[in-house]
Amino acid sequence: TCGMDVLTHALEAHTSALQNEYSDAIAMGSIKLVAEYLPKLMGDLSNMVFRQKMQLASHMAGVAFNISQLGLVHGVGHPLSALLNQAHGQTLATMLPHVMEYNMPVRAEKYAEVAKAFRVYDSNLSTEANARKAIKAIADLSIQVGTARSIREMGGSEKDIPVLVEQALTDLSGLTNPRPATREAVTNMYMAAMDNKELYPSSKL
């Protein structure tokens, strides 16, 4: 789960309401490293070069979010980790596509940049279409590294949503999300992450 944690740190720093050119440059550098080396590392866990690249990506992501802070992925991920006793990186990976979808109206251009880092960018497509390619590339990476797990697969159910929503709305990470989070939006994110055969193909629906 650590690799998806690194990616989320960098991605949220890149799209935070407080981002600037300095944090963006560092965050995108981290995202590019993760996009290239996390898949390679998963195929060769003993490779010290790949491990070093991911350590560098982790450090850069930390520097970036220390400047621009985080966002709603952490805001909705923290309650899941606490309630379901799941790893931090796991719950971030579960919620990341849903928060990206929510932020699309205000961050499509930045997500399109992420598509370039993942080498799925198509100059013939619109900014929004490329942003969605970034979301898919990240979802595919989560499947590849084994973090594509639904809330139900982690032991949660619909009855947990009211508690999760209350905790998410008080999490300070959400304050720097580029799009303010409403109760309805957070509820919908948790509902969407409950089951989804495309995002979480191993989940038993």
Side-chain angles (χ1 to χ4, degrees), residues 116-144:
K116 293 179 181 179
F118 276 83
R119 299 180 181 179
V120 295
Y121 184 88
D122 185 341
S123 60
N124 295 314
L125 298 178
S126 67
T127 298
E128 181 178 344
N130 276 300
R132 295 195 182 281
K133 287 176 77 69
I135 297 175
K136 185 178 187 308
I138 288 172
D140 289 345
L141 178 61
S142 185
I143 293 170
Q144 183 179 352

Side-chain angles (χ1 to χ4, degrees), residues 9-202:
H9 287 161
L11 187 69
E12 292 217 285
H14 182 54
T15 57
S16 160
L18 300 180
Q19 54 78 216
N20 56 47
E21 291 182 358
Y22 181 50
S23 61
D24 272 1
I26 302 169
M28 278 306 302
S30 175
I31 291 169
K32 289 175 182 177
L33 287 171
V34 173
E36 180 173 357
Y37 288 101
L38 182 55
K40 292 179 179 179
L41 179 58
M42 294 307 297
D44 184 4
L45 291 175
S46 64
N47 189 298
M48 297 307 294
V49 172
F50 300 161
R51 285 179 174 272
Q52 183 270 332
K53 295 293 186 181
M54 284 303 299
Q55 283 189 325
L56 176 59
S58 179
H59 174 73
M60 292 171 68
V63 172
F65 84 71
N66 189 52
I67 298 167
S68 61
Q69 305 305 304
L70 295 164
L72 195 54
V73 183
H74 279 76
V76 295
H78 288 152
L80 279 173
S81 291
L83 186 65
L84 303 180
N85 193 30
Q86 294 291 319
H88 176 62
Q90 172 59 68
T91 58
L92 297 184
T94 294
M95 299 307 299
L96 181 54
H98 305 290
V99 177
M100 291 181 73
E101 183 67 35
Y102 179 71
N103 287 336
M104 274 284 291
V106 295
R107 284 294 183 264
E109 186 173 339
K110 284 187 169 294
Y111 290 151
E113 294 176 18
V114 174
K116 293 179 181 179
F118 276 83
R119 299 180 181 179
V120 295
Y121 184 88
D122 185 341
S123 60
N124 295 314
L125 298 178
S126 67
T127 298
E128 181 178 344
N130 276 300
R132 295 195 182 281
K133 287 176 77 69
I135 297 175
K136 185 178 187 308
I138 288 172
D140 289 345
L141 178 61
S142 185
I143 293 170
Q144 183 179 352
V145 303
T147 55
R149 301 175 67 207
S150 68
I151 292 176
R152 198 179 310 282
E153 191 177 7
M154 292 188 291
S157 69
E158 286 83 357
K159 67 178 176 57
D160 298 317
I161 290 179
V163 172
L164 291 169
V165 171
E166 289 301 324
Q167 293 181 4
L169 290 174
T170 61
D171 192 293
L172 295 179
S173 298
L175 294 177
T176 46
N177 196 68
R179 187 181 180 194
T182 64
R183 182 177 299 275
E184 180 183 12
V186 173
T187 300
N188 289 341
M189 287 177 207
Y190 283 131
M191 287 295 296
M194 193 62 63
D195 298 296
N196 186 308
K197 64 181 179 180
E198 292 185 4
L199 293 177
Y200 322 115
S202 64

